[in-house]
Amino acid sequence: MIPFKKTTEPQLDIEIANKILEQAFEVNQMEPNTIPLEVLASYSQYRRERFTLQRTILVIVMALFILLPFLFVPPSFTIHEVSDGTGFNPVYQLDVTTFMLVERVSAVIDGHNIPVYEVDSHVYSMEPSRNGRMAVTVTLINRQTLTRYIDVTNVDLDAPAVVSNNTDSDRIYLYLSDPGSGVNYEKIKAVDLDGNEVHPVFHDEATGCVAFAYPKESLNVYIPDHADNTLHLILTIQ
């Protein structure tokens, strides 16, 4: 196999070129050239460089002109609640419907940042940790932004609380409060030291009272609300 050799363009020495030019003027009975050939060659090089620069600038301008409409493409997105069936502690899904790259998605309630998770391409998930007006802002790579607002009302992250308690010879009475989703009295239970479940003898939602038979040993009591927040108490028998 014969290796291919790239041929180079022959270069004419500047002195030889100058002599050829002088002879050409002399043969044609013309006045000798008064401008040195070096100056003419450097000017030609200058013209080529200037043309290359102009062409580069023109290409950049044309590219910017073509891209100009994309610099002002605004975001477009939809938000909907993803229900878990309880109606509390909502999760919101945001779908960005644009071909542009997303630079940032943020969510804020009363100055507090809400975590935003990217679950898929152009799909984001938000779990508000408080109630209030949530501002959701999408920023594209072209710096165009869009903000929408959602009223969040069903966030309950607090477990029930015991307001007071008392006992008599037969029972222990607990008075409960949960201003959020409310105490789930049907699921209140206790577990003794042997792992056996003990259920309340009665409850009264109007007064917030729940009563257990007076135990013979300590109990672990679990009091949930309707948002699955659970208060864990240990009743110790003195």
Coordinates of all heavy atoms in Angstrom, one line a residue, residues 11 25 52 54 71 97 103 121 141 146 174 177 192-193 195:
Q11 N 5.7 27.8 -2.7 CA 5.8 29.2 -2.3 C 6.9 29.9 -3.1 O 8.0 29.3 -3.2 CB 6.1 29.3 -0.8 CG 5.1 28.6 0.2 CD 3.8 29.4 0.1 OE1 3.8 30.6 0.0 NE2 2.7 28.7 0.3
F25 N 7.1 44.7 -16.0 CA 6.9 46.1 -16.2 C 7.9 46.5 -17.4 O 7.5 47.3 -18.3 CB 7.2 46.9 -15.0 CG 6.0 47.0 -14.0 CD1 6.0 46.3 -12.8 CD2 4.9 47.7 -14.4 CE1 5.0 46.4 -12.0 CE2 3.8 47.8 -13.5 CZ 3.9 47.1 -12.3
T52 N -12.2 37.4 6.6 CA -12.5 36.3 7.5 C -13.2 36.8 8.7 O -14.2 36.2 9.2 CB -11.2 35.5 7.9 OG1 -10.6 35.0 6.7 CG2 -11.5 34.4 8.8
Q54 N -15.0 39.6 9.0 CA -16.3 40.0 8.6 C -17.3 38.8 8.4 O -18.4 38.9 8.8 CB -16.2 40.9 7.3 CG -15.6 42.2 7.5 CD -15.4 42.9 6.2 OE1 -15.4 42.3 5.1 NE2 -15.2 44.3 6.3
L71 N -35.1 33.1 22.7 CA -34.7 33.8 24.0 C -35.9 34.3 24.8 O -35.7 34.7 25.9 CB -33.7 35.0 23.6 CG -32.4 34.6 22.9 CD1 -31.6 35.9 22.6 CD2 -31.6 33.7 23.8
T97 N -44.4 22.0 30.4 CA -44.7 21.6 29.0 C -44.0 22.6 28.1 O -44.6 23.6 27.6 CB -46.2 21.7 28.7 OG1 -46.7 22.9 29.1 CG2 -46.9 20.6 29.5
E103 N -34.1 25.5 34.1 CA -33.0 25.9 35.0 C -33.3 25.7 36.5 O -32.5 25.2 37.2 CB -32.5 27.3 34.8 CG -31.3 27.7 35.6 CD -30.9 29.1 35.3 OE1 -30.3 29.3 34.2 OE2 -31.2 30.1 36.1
S121 N -38.2 13.7 33.6 CA -37.9 14.8 32.8 C -39.1 15.8 32.7 O -40.2 15.4 32.3 CB -37.6 14.3 31.4 OG -37.3 15.4 30.5
I141 N -33.9 28.0 30.9 CA -32.5 28.3 30.7 C -32.3 29.6 30.0 O -31.3 30.3 30.1 CB -31.8 27.2 29.8 CG1 -30.3 27.3 29.9 CG2 -32.3 27.2 28.4 CD1 -29.6 26.1 29.3
L146 N -42.1 32.0 35.2 CA -43.5 32.1 35.3 C -43.9 31.6 36.8 O -43.3 30.6 37.2 CB -44.3 31.2 34.3 CG -45.8 31.1 34.4 CD1 -46.4 32.5 34.2 CD2 -46.4 30.1 33.4
L174 N -57.9 10.0 79.6 CA -57.0 10.9 78.9 C -57.9 11.9 78.0 O -58.8 11.4 77.3 CB -56.1 10.2 77.9 CG -55.2 9.1 78.5 CD1 -54.4 8.4 77.5 CD2 -54.2 9.8 79.5
S177 N -56.5 16.5 72.3 CA -56.8 17.6 71.4 C -56.0 17.4 70.1 O -54.8 17.0 70.2 CB -56.5 18.9 72.1 OG -56.6 20.0 71.1
D192 N -49.3 -3.9 76.1 CA -48.7 -4.1 77.4 C -47.3 -4.7 77.2 O -46.8 -4.8 76.0 CB -49.5 -5.1 78.2 CG -49.7 -6.4 77.6 OD1 -48.9 -6.8 76.7 OD2 -50.7 -7.2 78.0
L193 N -46.6 -5.0 78.3 CA -45.2 -5.4 78.2 C -45.0 -6.7 77.5 O -43.9 -7.1 77.1 CB -44.6 -5.4 79.6 CG -44.6 -4.1 80.3 CD1 -44.0 -4.2 81.7 CD2 -43.8 -3.0 79.5
G195 N -46.7 -7.5 74.8 CA -47.0 -7.4 73.4 C -48.5 -7.5 73.1 O -48.9 -7.6 71.9

